[in-house]
Amino acid sequence: PTVERAATELLLGKAADGLFEALPKDQRRRLADVPEVIRKLERVAQSLRARRDDLAKAIGEAGQMGGERRDQVVGELEEAKNLAAAALATAVSALENLRLDLLRLRAGVGSADDLTGSLEEARRVGEQVDAELEVRALLQNSGGEGQGPRAAS
């Protein structure tokens, strides 16, 4: 099941790439950083998807036996999984918005200026999630406990 879902951000990225490449040369030049933003969002979404799936696996490994400590650990794992899932949804949504604005631009309904909002949002989401993943990695490497990425707002 994970393999099927993992393709969402890649399919959106491929579609956005195709739309970008179909733009006239002058627009592509003006929006030269779009492919880089698409790649970043794909990477972020893949990292978040892996994090969410790892947390789901850990929840399953906690077992069914009740107990206060187990319930506490499962609660923490579920919270971290939900945060990763929310951040994943935000990253995929930013990628989809970018794709839709590229579609509008290619169809002649919008302008390159109209794409700026989606591009800025996509950059912000990518940078925010990257920073949160880096903090989590640093905490794990130093022996601390990371809570995982918070949902981007």
Side-chain angles (χ1 to χ4, degrees), residues 48-130:
L48 290 167
R49 187 178 302 285
R51 173 78 173 144
R52 184 205 59 196
D53 292 348
D54 288 347
L55 289 163
K57 181 179 177 185
I59 292 167
E61 292 171 354
Q64 299 300 315
M65 296 292 290
E68 188 175 321
R69 179 69 179 136
R70 182 217 170 260
D71 293 346
Q72 177 188 0
V73 168
V74 168
E76 290 171 1
L77 291 170
E78 286 177 347
E79 179 182 350
K81 183 184 84 149
N82 291 340
L83 289 170
L88 171 61
T90 300
V92 170
S93 177
L95 192 53
E96 171 67 352
N97 288 339
L98 192 54
R99 183 190 73 82
L100 290 171
D101 282 346
L102 284 165
L103 178 64
R104 288 179 67 238
L105 185 58
R106 190 201 66 192
V109 176
S111 70
D113 291 336
D114 295 336
L115 191 68
T116 303
S118 291
L119 199 52
E120 287 303 315
E121 174 67 8
R123 277 192 202 102
R124 187 189 64 75
V125 167
E127 289 167 4
Q128 180 180 353
V129 174
D130 265 354

